[in-house]
Amino acid sequence: MIRSMIAAVAFVASTATAMAGMITVDSAHDVKTTLDRLEAAANKGGATVFARIDHQANAKGIGMDMPASQVLIFGNPKGGTPLMLANPEIGLDLPLRVHAFEKDGKTVMMYHDPEAVAKAHGLDPAMKPVQGAAGALKKLTAAAGAE
């Protein structure tokens, strides 16, 4: 019983910590349109789009329903490579990812704060590639979600 309580407290604490490093951005569009706009902006900005995952379609494939939910995975090796050279472990959190999903009748985008990711991997969040990623994500998600 005590072990279960300790495990539950540890889980809640780790979830709260993980959420502290998340940034959310509202979108004026549905999930598909939001990520279409994000993908176009990322491509225009010189990023490489590696994958797009449609969680809703995957759920339908196994006979389950869920609200719209998609993840866009993209990045730029000019920014990510120096970070991985500084600490290869950060490769677990690269390339960048933005998750767009329906929540309470609205579309929300969510992504990991690059500064928090850098700190978690023992890197200086003031590093130029970290700041570049933070600025790019802010700009791209604002463009994708704008009216």
Side-chain angles (χ1 to χ4, degrees), residues 50-66:
F50 298 107
R52 185 164 172 170
I53 301 165
D54 187 335
H55 293 305
Q56 183 183 45
N58 291 333
K60 282 183 181 176
I62 59 165
M64 297 180 75
D65 289 321
M66 67 178 289

Side-chain angles (χ1 to χ4, degrees), residues 14-25 93 97-99 101 109-117:
S14 68
T15 302
T17 301
M19 293 304 292
M22 303 298 271
I23 295 176
T24 58
V25 179
D93 292 303
R97 298 177 301 279
V98 175
H99 180 201
F101 56 98
M109 288 176 281
M110 182 176 274
Y111 61 89
H112 293 280
D113 178 1
E115 291 182 4
V117 171

Side-chain angles (χ1 to χ4, degrees), residues 1-42:
M1 175 78 167
I2 298 280
R3 280 190 182 155
S4 295
M5 289 174 60
I6 291 170
V9 169
F11 173 76
V12 169
S14 68
T15 302
T17 301
M19 293 304 292
M22 303 298 271
I23 295 176
T24 58
V25 179
D26 292 335
S27 176
H29 311 283
D30 62 39
V31 169
K32 181 186 180 315
T33 301
T34 296
L35 281 196
D36 287 348
R37 291 167 57 100
L38 180 64
E39 185 170 353

Side-chain angles (χ1 to χ4, degrees), residues 124-143:
D124 181 358
M127 290 176 69
K128 187 175 180 178
V130 175
Q131 291 302 307
L137 283 165
K138 184 175 183 178
K139 181 179 175 181
L140 292 170
T141 55

